[in-house]
Amino acid sequence: MRRATLDEPPLFHLAARDGARLTLASDTGAVAHVFVLEEDIVRLLVLPDGRLRHPRSWTVAPGAEDIAAEGRDRFDVSDFGAPSFTLDEGDPERLVVATPRLRLTVELWGLRCRWDVWHGEAWTAAARDRPTQAYDFGWWDGRPRHYLARTPGEQYFGLGERSGAMDRAGRRFRLSNLDALGYDARTADPLYKHIPFYITRRPDSGLAFGLFYDTLSDCVFDFGCEHSNYHGPYRYFAAEHGDVDLYVLAGPTVADVTRRFTWLTGRPAATPDWALGYSGSAMGYADAPDAAARSDEFLARLIEHDIPCTSFHLSSGYTSIGAKRYVFHWNREKFADPAALFARFERAGVKVIANMKPALLTDHPAFEAAARAGLLLADADGAPVLEQFWDAPGAYVDFTNPVAADWWTEQVKSQLLAFGITATWNDNNEFEVTGPRTLAHGFGASFPAWEMKPLQTLLMLRASRRAQLEHAPDAAPFLISRAGFAGMQRYAQTWSGDNATSWETLKWNIPMGLGLALSGVSNIGHDVGGFSGPRPDAELFARWVGLGVFLPRFSIHSWNDDGSVNEPWMHPEILDDVRALMRLRERLVPYLSALLRRYRDAYEPVMRPLFHDFPDDPLAWGETDDFLLGDAVLVAPVTAPGVATRRVRLPAGAQWRDAWTGEVFTGGESLDRPTPYARPLFFIRLDPPSGIVPGL
């Protein structure tokens, strides 16, 4: 068996056909598998040395609410339609695999691939491999790489939660879950989530199609930031570990791709209506020495100021010993009787969501016992490996060990849910493992934990959800998670992490949320008012609330530099405005609830860019702060100070009614409208295709 070189790459041939899978073998030992999964989904798995490095997947769950904790065999094609397809081997130098909607052409010398989509009554070019070394067949470092040719003017959307503009063209991103406190929403990278999926839009045809690389390893996506004289324009994916396992989704519209990707990675979790009201929170409540009294004061202030509230995020200060935090430990000096406190919250109609962190500091009361029981990520000798955590070094719980997952589930039930807490806030769960000596149990097949860090996040959510299901089997479990991965919609609501308090954050958190929604994760929001930094002034706070009321997660949460707390009543001069916005949120809850049910049932995103529903409007593809909530509401937020009148352009192809005045306008018009704090600018579409409209 020869070794591949740049001038003598592998020569492939069709070696086997097994239902939906074609196996291509080569004279160098390299293997490629082609899976025809649906008429609009064809998968390519490239194994340069013929070996599958990560044999199981935890992200692919077509239409399913969950998968087994041990993951899904990568050769398992159950739950897919496996449609009939044609295979053309007439040309000895290539083979062509085609469904009625998607066609893959493989040049056998060097494995150069081209994908075409049936669009506009003709086969239309989608993606093609870079003509020079599209994969690493042994001439570089052996890491998974895939280089595609880049067409000038292509637009790229997705990758979940990313900073900056929605169109990723010209940028490079690193997917490596990170606790990015106070990040710059315009430029920061990496952030909290790992979603290696993006949508390409071709400028020549308007075709949109999706590319999903099924990996949980740290990886890089380059969309034309890198240039080389030797290869022509290209874009690429490169992972630290694992395999090139690529799913191509035909589209042909952004809406088609987003729905299909959401289906591919699993059915979104149900959201109870109580989770859609205002959720109070602040680090300062639970960090205070009189934390229980501060919590009771919050309930009293709600009544005093006539502010509706349906849930309360209990921050991690309840676990403190001194200045540090110790998961599942109750500080009884601050919380003498948690059950009685949370009973008072329940009587007030406010559900409590408790913060949890998946690492034990070395002086945690349970650290030594957990280490002896093998519950923590450890080295080859079984010694826990310490990583820098929030307060001090600690070791992460190893959720690939079923015993550790069971321990976590029991702790959630006995230390949290038993006291009257309703839901779990899974926080600081990025699992920042930094070295190769840290081993995961791997369900009995140990592997370096840093190869699949988001797997720990996923399994933490499974264990937390199981606790809620066992504790209250008749109630839909509700979870929140800061970190995430492709498929996290199966388990949890999320938010854009610990954002900075600034006008710039307010502006750039909007495309960040839209990127998540296009990537299958629609149950989202932001820390209203900003989490980290200075106390927001009245104007910034009012504009934040005016945006937040439209998003599924509406939580005012903060850790201000001066120790103050972001609360609805923090600026008395705008309290009437904030109260009016809270009433608007109450009126929007039935609409949001209907949108989230449609998201669960039909995989449609809740928050969406204008081009999602109006692809034929050229101006809908430009960068804008405006967005759609479902297909019936256009929101035009104010993201800069000193704005009393705002210009908004209504997407062409529909009629729009001003939600406040009742005036009706034709799409394509640009309007200048007043923007008082209490009346955020939004329009209602007449006769939306879904038929779901807000009852305002």
Side-chain angles (χ1 to χ4, degrees), residues 514-527:
L514 292 169
L516 274 169
L518 289 184
S519 305
V521 182
S522 263
N523 197 345
I524 58 175
H526 313 289
D527 278 348

Side-chain angles (χ1 to χ4, degrees), residues 68-130:
E70 298 83 1
R72 177 190 180 99
D73 189 301
R74 286 192 187 266
F75 290 108
D76 180 3
V77 296
S78 62
D79 303 317
F80 288 103
S84 59
F85 61 92
T86 61
L87 175 61
D88 184 352
E89 300 178 79
D91 187 333
E93 296 184 357
R94 65 182 53 85
L95 59 83
V96 181
V97 180
T99 75
R101 296 183 59 188
L102 185 57
R103 182 175 70 186
L104 168 62
T105 301
V106 181
E107 294 187 23
L108 299 173
W109 180 252
L111 194 73
R112 287 194 292 272
C113 299
R114 186 181 78 242
W115 293 263
D116 302 297
V117 172
W118 187 258
H119 176 51
E121 303 305 316
W123 286 111
T124 303
R128 60 183 176 88
D129 284 345
R130 189 178 75 176

Side-chain angles (χ1 to χ4, degrees), residues 271-273 276 588-599:
T271 303
D273 282 353
L276 297 178
L588 284 168
V589 164
Y591 179 61
L592 286 164
S593 179
L595 293 181
L596 285 164
R597 288 195 299 273
R598 190 170 181 89
Y599 170 51

Side-chain angles (χ1 to χ4, degrees), residues 164-336:
M166 284 205 66
D167 184 358
R168 317 301 191 194
R171 294 193 64 189
R172 179 188 296 124
F173 298 91
R174 184 164 71 95
L175 275 61
S176 179
N177 294 14
L178 190 71
D179 182 347
L181 170 70
Y183 61 87
D184 186 321
R186 186 175 64 87
T187 63
D189 185 72
L191 292 171
Y192 301 89
K193 298 176 181 66
H194 183 281
I195 305 181
F197 159 80
Y198 69 96
I199 300 169
T200 301
R201 179 178 180 258
R202 293 286 300 249
D204 48 358
S205 62
L207 170 68
F209 60 93
L211 301 175
F212 169 51
Y213 295 87
D214 184 9
T215 181
L216 289 172
S217 294
D218 285 3
C219 54
V220 169
F221 285 84
D222 188 295
F223 297 110
C225 181
E226 179 176 300
H227 296 259
S228 170
N229 181 50
Y230 304 126
H231 300 284
Y234 60 88
R235 63 189 192 272
Y236 71 81
F237 154 84
E240 293 293 328
H241 312 282
D243 310 285
V244 174
D245 192 357
L246 170 63
Y247 290 72
V248 177
L249 288 69
T253 69
V254 168
D256 294 329
V257 178
T258 292
R259 283 194 301 269
R260 200 54 154 163
F261 178 67
T262 308
W263 171 86
L264 177 66
T265 53
R267 184 174 299 280
T271 303
D273 282 353
W274 65 258
L276 297 178
Y278 158 55
S279 186
S281 183
M283 292 286 294
Y285 294 146
D287 279 356
D290 57 344
R294 289 290 302 276
S295 301
D296 277 325
E297 181 185 346
F298 173 77
L299 292 179
R301 288 290 190 92
L302 292 174
I303 296 170
E304 176 188 351
H305 297 297
D306 192 22
I307 298 294
C309 178
T310 58
S311 68
F312 179 80
H313 285 58
L314 179 65
S315 291
S316 56
Y318 76 94
T319 69
S320 63
I321 302 176
K324 299 178 184 178
R325 290 153 173 78
Y326 300 82
V327 65
F328 301 132
H329 168 268
W330 279 97
N331 183 320
R332 292 292 184 159
E333 293 180 359
K334 294 194 292 186
F335 292 90

Side-chain angles (χ1 to χ4, degrees), residues 418-487:
F419 290 108
I421 286 167
T422 301
T424 57
W425 172 9
N426 298 260
D427 199 15
N428 295 88
N429 54 346
E430 290 77 27
F431 287 85
E432 294 182 41
V433 179
T434 56
R437 71 188 184 94
T438 306
L439 302 179
H441 177 274
F443 305 97
S446 179
F447 65 87
W450 74 342
E451 292 190 3
M452 291 189 283
K453 291 180 289 186
L455 174 58
Q456 298 287 347
T457 307
L458 182 157
L459 295 173
M460 175 189 180
L461 295 179
R462 289 185 91 260
S464 300
R465 187 183 64 171
R466 177 157 60 100
Q468 293 179 227
L469 285 168
E470 292 177 0
H471 177 77
D474 296 328
F478 180 71
L479 294 84
I480 298 170
S481 179
R482 187 173 74 180
F485 46 88

